[in-house]
């Protein structure tokens, strides 16, 4: 077996780490910071913005749902977390507030 491995390397300390694992803790801390700034923080910011958007919905707002429908809010139900949207003059639907993805500028429905 000593054909490929020299005796000096075979007798070295296992792992070759002389700092007691401190480099492993530093590396774990760096990965934790990368995870926080690249994944957790942006997602938490998006959730907070969507929660504020849902809380600010009012009658007369033109909104876009996650399904791609554009409508005008006719009625807001505070206790049940639902809104009634008018898609046109004859069609009204009821959707959950959390299904609304964006509030559109006034007059968007007329320009479509």
């Amino acid at each position: 077996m000593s054909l490929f491995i020299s005796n000096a390397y075979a007798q070295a300390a296992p792992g070759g780490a002389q700092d007691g694992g401190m480099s492993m803790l530093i590396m774990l801390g760096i990965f934790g910071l990368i995870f926080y700034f690249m994944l957790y923080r942006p997602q938490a910011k998006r959730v907070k913005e969507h929660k504020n958007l849902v809380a600010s919905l009012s009658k007369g707002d033109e909104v876009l749902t996650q399904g791609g429908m554009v409508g005008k809010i006719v009625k807001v139900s505070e206790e049940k977390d639902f809104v009634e949207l008018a898609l046109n003059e004859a069609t009204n639907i009821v959707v959950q507030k959390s299904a609304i993805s964006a509030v559109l500028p006034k007059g968007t429905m007329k320009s479509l």
Side-chain angles (χ1 to χ4, degrees), residues 45-109:
K45 185 177 178 182
R46 279 191 293 271
V47 167
K48 183 178 178 183
E49 288 173 356
H50 187 260
K51 191 179 285 189
N52 291 338
L53 177 120
V54 167
S56 69
L57 292 176
S58 62
K59 184 177 177 180
D61 288 343
E62 294 181 6
V63 295
L64 174 68
T65 65
Q66 291 177 354
M69 292 185 284
V70 176
K72 189 177 217 176
I73 296 178
V74 176
K75 183 174 129 182
V76 178
S77 174
E78 295 297 329
E79 65 275 352
K80 295 184 181 180
D81 291 330
F82 287 96
V83 293
E84 185 175 339
L85 295 180
L87 300 179
N88 56 26
E89 291 80 22
T91 308
N92 287 356
I93 61 170
V94 177
V95 296
Q96 286 184 328
K97 286 182 178 180
S98 61
I100 294 176
S101 60
V103 176
L104 302 173
K106 301 285 183 190
T108 302
M109 286 182 65

Side-chain angles (χ1 to χ4, degrees), residues 6-63:
S6 67
N7 291 334
Y9 289 129
Q11 295 174 358
Q18 300 293 327
D19 59 356
M22 191 61 136
S23 64
M24 185 65 82
L25 288 175
I26 292 171
M27 190 69 84
L28 185 64
I30 290 171
F31 282 134
L33 287 173
I34 289 171
F35 176 79
Y36 176 76
F37 283 109
M38 299 285 283
L39 298 173
Y40 179 75
R41 190 169 173 222
Q43 181 64 25
K45 185 177 178 182
R46 279 191 293 271
V47 167
K48 183 178 178 183
E49 288 173 356
H50 187 260
K51 191 179 285 189
N52 291 338
L53 177 120
V54 167
S56 69
L57 292 176
S58 62
K59 184 177 177 180
D61 288 343
E62 294 181 6
V63 295

